[in-house]
Amino acid sequence: MPSPAPQRRALFVSYDGSRFFGWQKQADGITTVQNALENALSAIAQEPISVITAGRTDTGVHATAQVVHFDSAARRPEQAWVRGVNAHLPEGVAVWQVREVAPQFHARFDACGRRYRYLLQSAPVRSPLLAARAGWTHYALDIEAMRQAAALLVGEHDFSSFRAAECQAKSPVKTLYSVSLHGTPELLAVDFHGNAFLHHMVRNIMGALVYVGCGKLAVPEFADLLAARSRRLAPPTFMPDGLYLTGVDYPPQWGVPTPPLPAWLFPDL
C-alpha cells in the first residue's frame, strides 16, 4: 500500500525570546525556537520534520503570532498538532493553531506584510516586572516629537541607516505601511507594519526614536539620518527586550489570517 502523500500545514507559534538563542536552528544543539519546534513536531509525526518560518527573530525578541509551515505524511488530528506538540515543547514556546494549507503555500515567500510592536518603558528606574518584556530608558520622552519622526518612515525608503552590518537582504529598500505610537510616555507601544524588514531594522529605528524623544536628535536631523543611508551616523541599536513579532499578512487565497493583538500585549494603549 503506497504511503500517504505529505500534507502542508501552517502553524501559529508564540514564544518568549528571552528563553532562546534566537529563532534559527544551530548545529551545536544550542536552544533555539526552531530546534525546539522541530524536535516536538518530529516526536508527534514520528518522522523528521523541518519548518520554514515567515521571519527569523534574534535572541531576546518575542513573537505572539509567528507563522511556520511544514510537510508531513503523518495524519494526526488538529488536537495532536497543537496539544501534542506543546507537550513536547519547553516552557517559553507554544503552538496555538494549525491549518492545512495548499502545497504551494510558503510561510516566508508568500508573506506580503509583517507587523511588530515595541513596548517601551520610560522611568527613572526600570521595573523588574517588565524585565525582558519591555525596553527601557531613563529619559523622559516627548511622544509628539517621536510621532513626527515616525511619520517620516512611512512609504518606500532605502533604510540603510537602520540596517545591521550583517544583514543579508538583497536590497535595503523596504516599504512601511504605518508606524504608530500609543500609550503614555511612561509605557509606550510603537507599532510597525511593513512589507518586510531588514536585520535589526526595528531596533535601530527605536534607538533613533528614543534619541528624538529625549531631545538628543531633532526631527529634521532624523529626516537627514534617513536620507543619509549610512548606519555609521545612526544612534546605537536598542535592546531587544520589548520587540514582538505580532503578525504576518498573506493574500486571502491562502486562508492564513492575520490574528489580532493578544489582550495581554496592551492592545488598547
Side-chain angles (χ1 to χ4, degrees):
M1 185 175 180
S3 300
Q7 290 182 338
R8 180 156 294 186
R9 293 176 177 85
L11 294 179
F12 288 91
V13 185
S14 59
Y15 50 85
D16 174 357
S18 68
R19 295 173 180 256
F20 300 93
F21 291 93
W23 167 268
Q24 191 171 8
K25 189 178 192 176
Q26 301 292 331
D28 57 7
I30 196 168
T31 304
T32 69
V33 181
Q34 186 179 6
N35 281 126
L37 185 58
E38 289 184 347
N39 289 340
L41 285 165
S42 298
I44 295 300
Q46 297 185 333
E47 64 180 8
I49 298 292
S50 296
V51 300
I52 301 294
T53 183
R56 293 176 293 182
T57 51
D58 294 327
T59 301
V61 177
H62 315 296
T64 66
Q66 177 70 275
V67 178
V68 305
H69 81 254
F70 71 97
D71 296 325
S72 175
R75 299 296 188 259
R76 304 285 186 269
E78 180 178 331
Q79 183 175 347
W81 290 121
V82 177
R83 295 186 181 179
V85 169
N86 286 339
H88 290 272
L89 285 171
E91 289 186 1
V93 57
V95 171
W96 53 271
Q97 191 177 111
V98 61
R99 287 173 177 259
E100 287 190 16
V101 291
Q104 299 83 11
F105 172 78
H106 196 285
R108 178 184 175 192
F109 296 136
D110 287 321
C112 57
R114 292 167 176 83
R115 300 166 188 264
Y116 287 90
R117 168 166 282 195
Y118 197 99
L119 288 181
L120 176 65
Q121 182 198 15
S122 170
V125 177
R126 185 174 187 171
S127 169
L129 301 180
L130 292 175
R133 299 289 180 270
W136 170 73
T137 178
H138 67 275
Y139 292 109
L141 297 176
D142 180 345
I143 293 184
E144 184 52 39
M146 295 174 71
R147 281 201 178 97
Q148 292 175 24
L152 300 172
L153 300 168
V154 176
E156 183 180 87
H157 300 283
D158 182 325
F159 285 98
S160 293
S161 293
F162 306 106
R163 181 182 189 176
E166 62 271 26
C167 180
Q168 298 177 356
K170 293 181 180 179
S171 170
V173 177
K174 304 298 175 188
T175 300
L176 286 185
Y177 306 130
S178 64
V179 183
S180 55
L181 284 71
H182 317 272
T184 69
E186 291 74 29
L187 186 61
L188 183 66
V190 186
D191 289 327
F192 298 84
H193 183 202
N195 66 336
F197 290 82
L198 303 168
H199 191 199
H200 285 176
M201 179 172 158
V202 174
R203 291 171 57 194
N204 288 334
I205 289 174
M206 284 303 304
L209 288 178
V210 169
Y211 266 44
V212 171
C214 70
K216 289 187 175 184
L217 192 68
V219 174
E221 292 173 323
F222 183 93
D224 292 341
L225 173 61
L226 175 62
R229 304 175 184 178
S230 173
R231 180 69 198 135
R232 292 178 298 172
L233 304 176
T237 304
F238 211 62
M239 62 188 70
D241 305 44
L243 183 55
Y244 298 78
L245 173 64
T246 58
V248 184
D249 303 332
Y250 294 97
Q253 67 262 28
W254 297 119
V256 181
T258 305
L261 283 168
W264 56 263
L265 196 57
F266 311 111
D268 297 321
L269 273 175

